[in-house]
Amino acid sequence: MPVPPWLAVVLSLAAVVGQACILMAIVNFLYGERISKSILKPVRLAAVGLVVGNPVLLVILAWPRPYEVVANGLAGRHGVAVQTVFGVLVFYGLIVFPLISVARLLRPNPKALREEKSETVNLWPRHGAKLIGDGRWRWATHLPFNQVFRVDFTELSLAIPGLFRAWEGLTIHIVNDLHFVGTPSRLYFDELVTRMNAWPTPDVLILAGDYVDTRRHYRWIEPVLGRLKWSEAGLAILGNHDAHYHPDRLRWRLARLGCHVVGGTWKEVTIRGERCVVVGHEGPWIRPAPDLASAPPGLFRLGLSHTPDNFYWARKNRINLLFCGHVHGGQVRVPGIGSIFCPSVYGRRFDCGVFESGGTVMVVNRGAGGKEPIRFRCNAQVLRVTLSGSREAEVPSGLQTVPEKT
């Protein structure tokens, strides 16, 4: 049966989207696992090559009527295997991807999130080329529409079940994914710290990993992060990039800032006169995961995890409040769709924002930097969080705003 050209074109476009959807899901999953960069980089390049190259190759080889190749395939002239693969790609592009995107847009805000406001600061008009620095990716800062020097200073108000009365109004600053690599320059990060310090001094500072991407940028840690302030506790863990640059040396430098470095373990910390358990999870890249078997029962559990992939682990281990980064919000967000590349085994599920399930609240920050200085509709971000008691005090919300683990 002949296939109309218009239908062949529509199905071809759906297949292209479906292929991209499947390939990026695979790449996202692999980047969320503990796999060598020597394997991940070629896989990522191959996926991008297929997403971009296959449609171009089809047009070149079948010009001037590439739709006829699709029409002939649908008519059965290219075999059952080709038809099956094409059908799967069309199904993902025409059904699965749109449904996922719509579901994400309609996802309700968690009960824990009471208020959110952001001030966007564009550092370029004031400092210009001084922000670019000398990193190997500095050329990317000149790409059209790149917003790498725009930063959201975001304030969140969260209602947490079972919060100590003494913690009413407790403030927390969160910084993660700095990726000191030369671009942006140190001036960029100094400006971030200066503007963060313009906020009232927080009770707690959280540093959630990925500090350096070269060995020569260790020297930025103390002069940049050493200016950050807190009144009760500084808390820090490492990220996956830090695992490649002498983790022990990084821990030592973070400890010199006065932080409790809690990666892979837990520590009892007193904040505003109340004892709590602070848990640091650096997995899957730095193992083992924290063992909470001997942790004091009944205390509030404050968690730091570089990746949001540890959300279900946190829920199982009764972490009340978890702070994460790692996925950068995707760095590139397409209008109406959102993020595409998110290095997570759950794909785009936890790309940024606040999530809640089973009494655990998770905050995912988009990060202050990135190894590749590219951001489109996804500004860098630092957070100030203010805590209050839940309206349903002492009762876990149980709001299932994220899917159960499958």
mmCIF file with all atom_site columns, all heavy atoms in Angstrom, residues 176-198:
data_model
loop_
_atom_site.group_PDB
_atom_site.id
_atom_site.type_symbol
_atom_site.label_atom_id
_atom_site.label_alt_id
_atom_site.label_comp_id
_atom_site.label_asym_id
_atom_site.label_entity_id
_atom_site.label_seq_id
_atom_site.pdbx_PDB_ins_code
_atom_site.Cartn_x
_atom_site.Cartn_y
_atom_site.Cartn_z
_atom_site.occupancy
_atom_site.B_iso_or_equiv
_atom_site.pdbx_formal_charge
_atom_site.auth_seq_id
_atom_site.auth_comp_id
_atom_site.auth_asym_id
_atom_site.auth_atom_id
_atom_site.pdbx_PDB_model_num
ATOM 1   N N   . ASN A 1 176 ? 27.554 24.100 44.824 1.00 0.00 ? 176 ASN A N   1
ATOM 2   C CA  . ASN A 1 176 ? 28.047 22.835 44.273 1.00 0.00 ? 176 ASN A CA  1
ATOM 3   C C   . ASN A 1 176 ? 28.455 23.022 42.816 1.00 0.00 ? 176 ASN A C   1
ATOM 4   O O   . ASN A 1 176 ? 28.133 24.030 42.192 1.00 0.00 ? 176 ASN A O   1
ATOM 5   C CB  . ASN A 1 176 ? 26.980 21.736 44.367 1.00 0.00 ? 176 ASN A CB  1
ATOM 6   C CG  . ASN A 1 176 ? 25.663 22.117 43.733 1.00 0.00 ? 176 ASN A CG  1
ATOM 7   O OD1 . ASN A 1 176 ? 24.812 22.706 44.409 1.00 0.00 ? 176 ASN A OD1 1
ATOM 8   N ND2 . ASN A 1 176 ? 25.484 21.808 42.447 1.00 0.00 ? 176 ASN A ND2 1
ATOM 9   N N   . ASP A 1 177 ? 29.192 22.057 42.321 1.00 0.00 ? 177 ASP A N   1
ATOM 10  C CA  . ASP A 1 177 ? 29.582 22.008 40.908 1.00 0.00 ? 177 ASP A CA  1
ATOM 11  C C   . ASP A 1 177 ? 30.246 23.300 40.453 1.00 0.00 ? 177 ASP A C   1
ATOM 12  O O   . ASP A 1 177 ? 29.854 23.921 39.465 1.00 0.00 ? 177 ASP A O   1
ATOM 13  C CB  . ASP A 1 177 ? 28.368 21.675 40.033 1.00 0.00 ? 177 ASP A CB  1
ATOM 14  C CG  . ASP A 1 177 ? 27.845 20.278 40.306 1.00 0.00 ? 177 ASP A CG  1
ATOM 15  O OD1 . ASP A 1 177 ? 28.456 19.320 39.814 1.00 0.00 ? 177 ASP A OD1 1
ATOM 16  O OD2 . ASP A 1 177 ? 26.851 20.140 41.053 1.00 0.00 ? 177 ASP A OD2 1
ATOM 17  N N   . LEU A 1 178 ? 31.290 23.683 41.169 1.00 0.00 ? 178 LEU A N   1
ATOM 18  C CA  . LEU A 1 178 ? 32.076 24.861 40.782 1.00 0.00 ? 178 LEU A CA  1
ATOM 19  C C   . LEU A 1 178 ? 32.947 24.559 39.568 1.00 0.00 ? 178 LEU A C   1
ATOM 20  O O   . LEU A 1 178 ? 33.118 25.389 38.687 1.00 0.00 ? 178 LEU A O   1
ATOM 21  C CB  . LEU A 1 178 ? 32.936 25.309 41.960 1.00 0.00 ? 178 LEU A CB  1
ATOM 22  C CG  . LEU A 1 178 ? 32.127 25.824 43.154 1.00 0.00 ? 178 LEU A CG  1
ATOM 23  C CD1 . LEU A 1 178 ? 32.823 25.486 44.468 1.00 0.00 ? 178 LEU A CD1 1
ATOM 24  C CD2 . LEU A 1 178 ? 31.913 27.310 43.057 1.00 0.00 ? 178 LEU A CD2 1
ATOM 25  N N   . HIS A 1 179 ? 33.544 23.379 39.537 1.00 0.00 ? 179 HIS A N   1
ATOM 26  C CA  . HIS A 1 179 ? 34.363 22.945 38.401 1.00 0.00 ? 179 HIS A CA  1
ATOM 27  C C   . HIS A 1 179 ? 35.432 23.982 38.056 1.00 0.00 ? 179 HIS A C   1
ATOM 28  O O   . HIS A 1 179 ? 35.459 24.518 36.935 1.00 0.00 ? 179 HIS A O   1
ATOM 29  C CB  . HIS A 1 179 ? 33.489 22.657 37.172 1.00 0.00 ? 179 HIS A CB  1
ATOM 30  C CG  . HIS A 1 179 ? 32.593 21.466 37.339 1.00 0.00 ? 179 HIS A CG  1
ATOM 31  N ND1 . HIS A 1 179 ? 33.020 20.177 37.125 1.00 0.00 ? 179 HIS A ND1 1
ATOM 32  C CD2 . HIS A 1 179 ? 31.287 21.369 37.712 1.00 0.00 ? 179 HIS A CD2 1
ATOM 33  C CE1 . HIS A 1 179 ? 32.020 19.340 37.350 1.00 0.00 ? 179 HIS A CE1 1
ATOM 34  N NE2 . HIS A 1 179 ? 30.960 20.038 37.712 1.00 0.00 ? 179 HIS A NE2 1
ATOM 35  N N   . PHE A 1 180 ? 36.320 24.241 38.992 1.00 0.00 ? 180 PHE A N   1
ATOM 36  C CA  . PHE A 1 180 ? 37.437 25.147 38.717 1.00 0.00 ? 180 PHE A CA  1
ATOM 37  C C   . PHE A 1 180 ? 38.312 24.524 37.624 1.00 0.00 ? 180 PHE A C   1
ATOM 38  O O   . PHE A 1 180 ? 38.959 23.505 37.825 1.00 0.00 ? 180 PHE A O   1
ATOM 39  C CB  . PHE A 1 180 ? 38.286 25.358 39.973 1.00 0.00 ? 180 PHE A CB  1
ATOM 40  C CG  . PHE A 1 180 ? 37.577 26.076 41.093 1.00 0.00 ? 180 PHE A CG  1
ATOM 41  C CD1 . PHE A 1 180 ? 37.957 25.847 42.409 1.00 0.00 ? 180 PHE A CD1 1
ATOM 42  C CD2 . PHE A 1 180 ? 36.566 26.985 40.843 1.00 0.00 ? 180 PHE A CD2 1
ATOM 43  C CE1 . PHE A 1 180 ? 37.329 26.510 43.450 1.00 0.00 ? 180 PHE A CE1 1
ATOM 44  C CE2 . PHE A 1 180 ? 35.928 27.647 41.879 1.00 0.00 ? 180 PHE A CE2 1
ATOM 45  C CZ  . PHE A 1 180 ? 36.309 27.408 43.191 1.00 0.00 ? 180 PHE A CZ  1
ATOM 46  N N   . VAL A 1 181 ? 38.325 25.164 36.455 1.00 0.00 ? 181 VAL A N   1
ATOM 47  C CA  . VAL A 1 181 ? 39.074 24.620 35.332 1.00 0.00 ? 181 VAL A CA  1
ATOM 48  C C   . VAL A 1 181 ? 39.714 25.730 34.501 1.00 0.00 ? 181 VAL A C   1
ATOM 49  O O   . VAL A 1 181 ? 40.389 25.460 33.517 1.00 0.00 ? 181 VAL A O   1
ATOM 50  C CB  . VAL A 1 181 ? 38.141 23.734 34.456 1.00 0.00 ? 181 VAL A CB  1
ATOM 51  C CG1 . VAL A 1 181 ? 37.130 24.594 33.707 1.00 0.00 ? 181 VAL A CG1 1
ATOM 52  C CG2 . VAL A 1 181 ? 38.924 22.845 33.500 1.00 0.00 ? 181 VAL A CG2 1
ATOM 53  N N   . GLY A 1 182 ? 39.515 26.977 34.891 1.00 0.00 ? 182 GLY A N   1
ATOM 54  C CA  . GLY A 1 182 ? 40.092 28.096 34.154 1.00 0.00 ? 182 GLY A CA  1
ATOM 55  C C   . GLY A 1 182 ? 39.065 28.972 33.474 1.00 0.00 ? 182 GLY A C   1
ATOM 56  O O   . GLY A 1 182 ? 39.257 30.175 33.322 1.00 0.00 ? 182 GLY A O   1
ATOM 57  N N   . THR A 1 183 ? 37.967 28.367 33.035 1.00 0.00 ? 183 THR A N   1
ATOM 58  C CA  . THR A 1 183 ? 36.847 29.102 32.434 1.00 0.00 ? 183 THR A CA  1
ATOM 59  C C   . THR A 1 183 ? 35.550 28.584 33.041 1.00 0.00 ? 183 THR A C   1
ATOM 60  O O   . THR A 1 183 ? 35.284 27.376 32.948 1.00 0.00 ? 183 THR A O   1
ATOM 61  C CB  . THR A 1 183 ? 36.805 28.914 30.905 1.00 0.00 ? 183 THR A CB  1
ATOM 62  O OG1 . THR A 1 183 ? 37.990 29.445 30.326 1.00 0.00 ? 183 THR A OG1 1
ATOM 63  C CG2 . THR A 1 183 ? 35.611 29.612 30.299 1.00 0.00 ? 183 THR A CG2 1
ATOM 64  N N   . PRO A 1 184 ? 34.788 29.457 33.688 1.00 0.00 ? 184 PRO A N   1
ATOM 65  C CA  . PRO A 1 184 ? 35.002 30.881 33.906 1.00 0.00 ? 184 PRO A CA  1
ATOM 66  C C   . PRO A 1 184 ? 36.252 31.167 34.756 1.00 0.00 ? 184 PRO A C   1
ATOM 67  O O   . PRO A 1 184 ? 36.766 30.285 35.431 1.00 0.00 ? 184 PRO A O   1
ATOM 68  C CB  . PRO A 1 184 ? 33.737 31.337 34.653 1.00 0.00 ? 184 PRO A CB  1
ATOM 69  C CG  . PRO A 1 184 ? 32.709 30.285 34.362 1.00 0.00 ? 184 PRO A CG  1
ATOM 70  C CD  . PRO A 1 184 ? 33.481 29.015 34.239 1.00 0.00 ? 184 PRO A CD  1
ATOM 71  N N   . SER A 1 185 ? 36.679 32.425 34.721 1.00 0.00 ? 185 SER A N   1
ATOM 72  C CA  . SER A 1 185 ? 37.852 32.831 35.463 1.00 0.00 ? 185 SER A CA  1
ATOM 73  C C   . SER A 1 185 ? 37.544 32.885 36.952 1.00 0.00 ? 185 SER A C   1
ATOM 74  O O   . SER A 1 185 ? 36.386 32.829 37.387 1.00 0.00 ? 185 SER A O   1
ATOM 75  C CB  . SER A 1 185 ? 38.317 34.211 34.993 1.00 0.00 ? 185 SER A CB  1
ATOM 76  O OG  . SER A 1 185 ? 37.363 35.204 35.377 1.00 0.00 ? 185 SER A OG  1
ATOM 77  N N   . ARG A 1 186 ? 38.587 33.060 37.750 1.00 0.00 ? 186 ARG A N   1
ATOM 78  C CA  . ARG A 1 186 ? 38.382 33.156 39.197 1.00 0.00 ? 186 ARG A CA  1
ATOM 79  C C   . ARG A 1 186 ? 37.530 34.370 39.556 1.00 0.00 ? 186 ARG A C   1
ATOM 80  O O   . ARG A 1 186 ? 36.787 34.337 40.547 1.00 0.00 ? 186 ARG A O   1
ATOM 81  C CB  . ARG A 1 186 ? 39.738 33.232 39.915 1.00 0.00 ? 186 ARG A CB  1
ATOM 82  C CG  . ARG A 1 186 ? 39.571 33.298 41.418 1.00 0.00 ? 186 ARG A CG  1
ATOM 83  C CD  . ARG A 1 186 ? 40.873 33.292 42.151 1.00 0.00 ? 186 ARG A CD  1
ATOM 84  N NE  . ARG A 1 186 ? 40.736 34.014 43.411 1.00 0.00 ? 186 ARG A NE  1
ATOM 85  C CZ  . ARG A 1 186 ? 41.707 34.206 44.269 1.00 0.00 ? 186 ARG A CZ  1
ATOM 86  N NH1 . ARG A 1 186 ? 42.926 33.742 44.016 1.00 0.00 ? 186 ARG A NH1 1
ATOM 87  N NH2 . ARG A 1 186 ? 41.495 34.875 45.390 1.00 0.00 ? 186 ARG A NH2 1
ATOM 88  N N   . LEU A 1 187 ? 37.588 35.423 38.754 1.00 0.00 ? 187 LEU A N   1
ATOM 89  C CA  . LEU A 1 187 ? 36.781 36.604 39.017 1.00 0.00 ? 187 LEU A CA  1
ATOM 90  C C   . LEU A 1 187 ? 35.294 36.248 39.091 1.00 0.00 ? 187 LEU A C   1
ATOM 91  O O   . LEU A 1 187 ? 34.560 36.777 39.942 1.00 0.00 ? 187 LEU A O   1
ATOM 92  C CB  . LEU A 1 187 ? 37.009 37.649 37.927 1.00 0.00 ? 187 LEU A CB  1
ATOM 93  C CG  . LEU A 1 187 ? 36.117 38.899 37.966 1.00 0.00 ? 187 LEU A CG  1
ATOM 94  C CD1 . LEU A 1 187 ? 36.356 39.678 39.253 1.00 0.00 ? 187 LEU A CD1 1
ATOM 95  C CD2 . LEU A 1 187 ? 36.369 39.768 36.740 1.00 0.00 ? 187 LEU A CD2 1
ATOM 96  N N   . TYR A 1 188 ? 34.849 35.357 38.221 1.00 0.00 ? 188 TYR A N   1
ATOM 97  C CA  . TYR A 1 188 ? 33.445 34.923 38.220 1.00 0.00 ? 188 TYR A CA  1
ATOM 98  C C   . TYR A 1 188 ? 33.064 34.343 39.582 1.00 0.00 ? 188 TYR A C   1
ATOM 99  O O   . TYR A 1 188 ? 32.029 34.702 40.158 1.00 0.00 ? 188 TYR A O   1
ATOM 100 C CB  . TYR A 1 188 ? 33.254 33.892 37.108 1.00 0.00 ? 188 TYR A CB  1
ATOM 101 C CG  . TYR A 1 188 ? 31.966 33.109 37.153 1.00 0.00 ? 188 TYR A CG  1
ATOM 102 C CD1 . TYR A 1 188 ? 30.805 33.607 36.562 1.00 0.00 ? 188 TYR A CD1 1
ATOM 103 C CD2 . TYR A 1 188 ? 31.913 31.852 37.763 1.00 0.00 ? 188 TYR A CD2 1
ATOM 104 C CE1 . TYR A 1 188 ? 29.625 32.878 36.583 1.00 0.00 ? 188 TYR A CE1 1
ATOM 105 C CE2 . TYR A 1 188 ? 30.735 31.124 37.798 1.00 0.00 ? 188 TYR A CE2 1
ATOM 106 C CZ  . TYR A 1 188 ? 29.605 31.640 37.206 1.00 0.00 ? 188 TYR A CZ  1
ATOM 107 O OH  . TYR A 1 188 ? 28.436 30.915 37.243 1.00 0.00 ? 188 TYR A OH  1
ATOM 108 N N   . PHE A 1 189 ? 33.891 33.454 40.096 1.00 0.00 ? 189 PHE A N   1
ATOM 109 C CA  . PHE A 1 189 ? 33.576 32.807 41.372 1.00 0.00 ? 189 PHE A CA  1
ATOM 110 C C   . PHE A 1 189 ? 33.711 33.777 42.542 1.00 0.00 ? 189 PHE A C   1
ATOM 111 O O   . PHE A 1 189 ? 32.944 33.695 43.512 1.00 0.00 ? 189 PHE A O   1
ATOM 112 C CB  . PHE A 1 189 ? 34.469 31.583 41.557 1.00 0.00 ? 189 PHE A CB  1
ATOM 113 C CG  . PHE A 1 189 ? 34.244 30.527 40.513 1.00 0.00 ? 189 PHE A CG  1
ATOM 114 C CD1 . PHE A 1 189 ? 35.151 30.353 39.481 1.00 0.00 ? 189 PHE A CD1 1
ATOM 115 C CD2 . PHE A 1 189 ? 33.109 29.734 40.543 1.00 0.00 ? 189 PHE A CD2 1
ATOM 116 C CE1 . PHE A 1 189 ? 34.941 29.390 38.506 1.00 0.00 ? 189 PHE A CE1 1
ATOM 117 C CE2 . PHE A 1 189 ? 32.880 28.775 39.572 1.00 0.00 ? 189 PHE A CE2 1
ATOM 118 C CZ  . PHE A 1 189 ? 33.800 28.602 38.546 1.00 0.00 ? 189 PHE A CZ  1
ATOM 119 N N   . ASP A 1 190 ? 34.668 34.686 42.463 1.00 0.00 ? 190 ASP A N   1
ATOM 120 C CA  . ASP A 1 190 ? 34.779 35.714 43.507 1.00 0.00 ? 190 ASP A CA  1
ATOM 121 C C   . ASP A 1 190 ? 33.510 36.564 43.566 1.00 0.00 ? 190 ASP A C   1
ATOM 122 O O   . ASP A 1 190 ? 33.039 36.931 44.650 1.00 0.00 ? 190 ASP A O   1
ATOM 123 C CB  . ASP A 1 190 ? 35.990 36.609 43.241 1.00 0.00 ? 190 ASP A CB  1
ATOM 124 C CG  . ASP A 1 190 ? 37.309 35.930 43.593 1.00 0.00 ? 190 ASP A CG  1
ATOM 125 O OD1 . ASP A 1 190 ? 37.292 35.020 44.443 1.00 0.00 ? 190 ASP A OD1 1
ATOM 126 O OD2 . ASP A 1 190 ? 38.348 36.306 43.016 1.00 0.00 ? 190 ASP A OD2 1
ATOM 127 N N   . GLU A 1 191 ? 32.949 36.870 42.385 1.00 0.00 ? 191 GLU A N   1
ATOM 128 C CA  . GLU A 1 191 ? 31.716 37.647 42.345 1.00 0.00 ? 191 GLU A CA  1
ATOM 129 C C   . GLU A 1 191 ? 30.546 36.871 42.959 1.00 0.00 ? 191 GLU A C   1
ATOM 130 O O   . GLU A 1 191 ? 29.711 37.443 43.666 1.00 0.00 ? 191 GLU A O   1
ATOM 131 C CB  . GLU A 1 191 ? 31.377 38.025 40.906 1.00 0.00 ? 191 GLU A CB  1
ATOM 132 C CG  . GLU A 1 191 ? 32.106 39.252 40.401 1.00 0.00 ? 191 GLU A CG  1
ATOM 133 C CD  . GLU A 1 191 ? 31.604 40.514 41.106 1.00 0.00 ? 191 GLU A CD  1
ATOM 134 O OE1 . GLU A 1 191 ? 30.403 40.830 41.022 1.00 0.00 ? 191 GLU A OE1 1
ATOM 135 O OE2 . GLU A 1 191 ? 32.430 41.176 41.752 1.00 0.00 ? 191 GLU A OE2 1
ATOM 136 N N   . LEU A 1 192 ? 30.488 35.564 42.692 1.00 0.00 ? 192 LEU A N   1
ATOM 137 C CA  . LEU A 1 192 ? 29.437 34.743 43.290 1.00 0.00 ? 192 LEU A CA  1
ATOM 138 C C   . LEU A 1 192 ? 29.515 34.778 44.808 1.00 0.00 ? 192 LEU A C   1
ATOM 139 O O   . LEU A 1 192 ? 28.493 34.945 45.496 1.00 0.00 ? 192 LEU A O   1
ATOM 140 C CB  . LEU A 1 192 ? 29.561 33.289 42.803 1.00 0.00 ? 192 LEU A CB  1
ATOM 141 C CG  . LEU A 1 192 ? 28.635 32.856 41.661 1.00 0.00 ? 192 LEU A CG  1
ATOM 142 C CD1 . LEU A 1 192 ? 28.840 33.697 40.428 1.00 0.00 ? 192 LEU A CD1 1
ATOM 143 C CD2 . LEU A 1 192 ? 28.834 31.374 41.358 1.00 0.00 ? 192 LEU A CD2 1
ATOM 144 N N   . VAL A 1 193 ? 30.714 34.629 45.318 1.00 0.00 ? 193 VAL A N   1
ATOM 145 C CA  . VAL A 1 193 ? 30.886 34.629 46.779 1.00 0.00 ? 193 VAL A CA  1
ATOM 146 C C   . VAL A 1 193 ? 30.531 35.997 47.358 1.00 0.00 ? 193 VAL A C   1
ATOM 147 O O   . VAL A 1 193 ? 29.848 36.090 48.389 1.00 0.00 ? 193 VAL A O   1
ATOM 148 C CB  . VAL A 1 193 ? 32.328 34.231 47.147 1.00 0.00 ? 193 VAL A CB  1
ATOM 149 C CG1 . VAL A 1 193 ? 32.581 34.439 48.645 1.00 0.00 ? 193 VAL A CG1 1
ATOM 150 C CG2 . VAL A 1 193 ? 32.588 32.776 46.764 1.00 0.00 ? 193 VAL A CG2 1
ATOM 151 N N   . THR A 1 194 ? 30.960 37.052 46.698 1.00 0.00 ? 194 THR A N   1
ATOM 152 C CA  . THR A 1 194 ? 30.648 38.405 47.183 1.00 0.00 ? 194 THR A CA  1
ATOM 153 C C   . THR A 1 194 ? 29.143 38.616 47.265 1.00 0.00 ? 194 THR A C   1
ATOM 154 O O   . THR A 1 194 ? 28.623 39.155 48.259 1.00 0.00 ? 194 THR A O   1
ATOM 155 C CB  . THR A 1 194 ? 31.275 39.462 46.258 1.00 0.00 ? 194 THR A CB  1
ATOM 156 O OG1 . THR A 1 194 ? 32.705 39.332 46.299 1.00 0.00 ? 194 THR A OG1 1
ATOM 157 C CG2 . THR A 1 194 ? 30.875 40.867 46.686 1.00 0.00 ? 194 THR A CG2 1
ATOM 158 N N   . ARG A 1 195 ? 28.429 38.174 46.246 1.00 0.00 ? 195 ARG A N   1
ATOM 159 C CA  . ARG A 1 195 ? 26.977 38.361 46.230 1.00 0.00 ? 195 ARG A CA  1
ATOM 160 C C   . ARG A 1 195 ? 26.289 37.430 47.212 1.00 0.00 ? 195 ARG A C   1
ATOM 161 O O   . ARG A 1 195 ? 25.248 37.784 47.789 1.00 0.00 ? 195 ARG A O   1
ATOM 162 C CB  . ARG A 1 195 ? 26.448 38.183 44.807 1.00 0.00 ? 195 ARG A CB  1
ATOM 163 C CG  . ARG A 1 195 ? 26.901 39.308 43.871 1.00 0.00 ? 195 ARG A CG  1
ATOM 164 C CD  . ARG A 1 195 ? 26.514 39.078 42.433 1.00 0.00 ? 195 ARG A CD  1
ATOM 165 N NE  . ARG A 1 195 ? 27.019 40.145 41.575 1.00 0.00 ? 195 ARG A NE  1
ATOM 166 C CZ  . ARG A 1 195 ? 26.361 41.273 41.316 1.00 0.00 ? 195 ARG A CZ  1
ATOM 167 N NH1 . ARG A 1 195 ? 25.154 41.485 41.837 1.00 0.00 ? 195 ARG A NH1 1
ATOM 168 N NH2 . ARG A 1 195 ? 26.893 42.187 40.523 1.00 0.00 ? 195 ARG A NH2 1
ATOM 169 N N   . MET A 1 196 ? 26.826 36.237 47.423 1.00 0.00 ? 196 MET A N   1
ATOM 170 C CA  . MET A 1 196 ? 26.264 35.366 48.453 1.00 0.00 ? 196 MET A CA  1
ATOM 171 C C   . MET A 1 196 ? 26.450 35.969 49.842 1.00 0.00 ? 196 MET A C   1
ATOM 172 O O   . MET A 1 196 ? 25.564 35.887 50.694 1.00 0.00 ? 196 MET A O   1
ATOM 173 C CB  . MET A 1 196 ? 26.907 33.983 48.396 1.00 0.00 ? 196 MET A CB  1
ATOM 174 C CG  . MET A 1 196 ? 26.481 33.124 47.235 1.00 0.00 ? 196 MET A CG  1
ATOM 175 S SD  . MET A 1 196 ? 27.149 31.450 47.340 1.00 0.00 ? 196 MET A SD  1
ATOM 176 C CE  . MET A 1 196 ? 26.213 30.803 48.737 1.00 0.00 ? 196 MET A CE  1
ATOM 177 N N   . ASN A 1 197 ? 27.599 36.574 50.052 1.00 0.00 ? 197 ASN A N   1
ATOM 178 C CA  . ASN A 1 197 ? 27.870 37.189 51.353 1.00 0.00 ? 197 ASN A CA  1
ATOM 179 C C   . ASN A 1 197 ? 27.008 38.428 51.594 1.00 0.00 ? 197 ASN A C   1
ATOM 180 O O   . ASN A 1 197 ? 26.924 38.918 52.723 1.00 0.00 ? 197 ASN A O   1
ATOM 181 C CB  . ASN A 1 197 ? 29.347 37.547 51.476 1.00 0.00 ? 197 ASN A CB  1
ATOM 182 C CG  . ASN A 1 197 ? 30.219 36.324 51.722 1.00 0.00 ? 197 ASN A CG  1
ATOM 183 O OD1 . ASN A 1 197 ? 29.725 35.267 52.139 1.00 0.00 ? 197 ASN A OD1 1
ATOM 184 N ND2 . ASN A 1 197 ? 31.513 36.440 51.464 1.00 0.00 ? 197 ASN A ND2 1
ATOM 185 N N   . ALA A 1 198 ? 26.373 38.935 50.534 1.00 0.00 ? 198 ALA A N   1
ATOM 186 C CA  . ALA A 1 198 ? 25.445 40.051 50.713 1.00 0.00 ? 198 ALA A CA  1
ATOM 187 C C   . ALA A 1 198 ? 24.148 39.586 51.367 1.00 0.00 ? 198 ALA A C   1
ATOM 188 O O   . ALA A 1 198 ? 23.409 40.389 51.936 1.00 0.00 ? 198 ALA A O   1
ATOM 189 C CB  . ALA A 1 198 ? 25.156 40.723 49.373 1.00 0.00 ? 198 ALA A CB  1
#
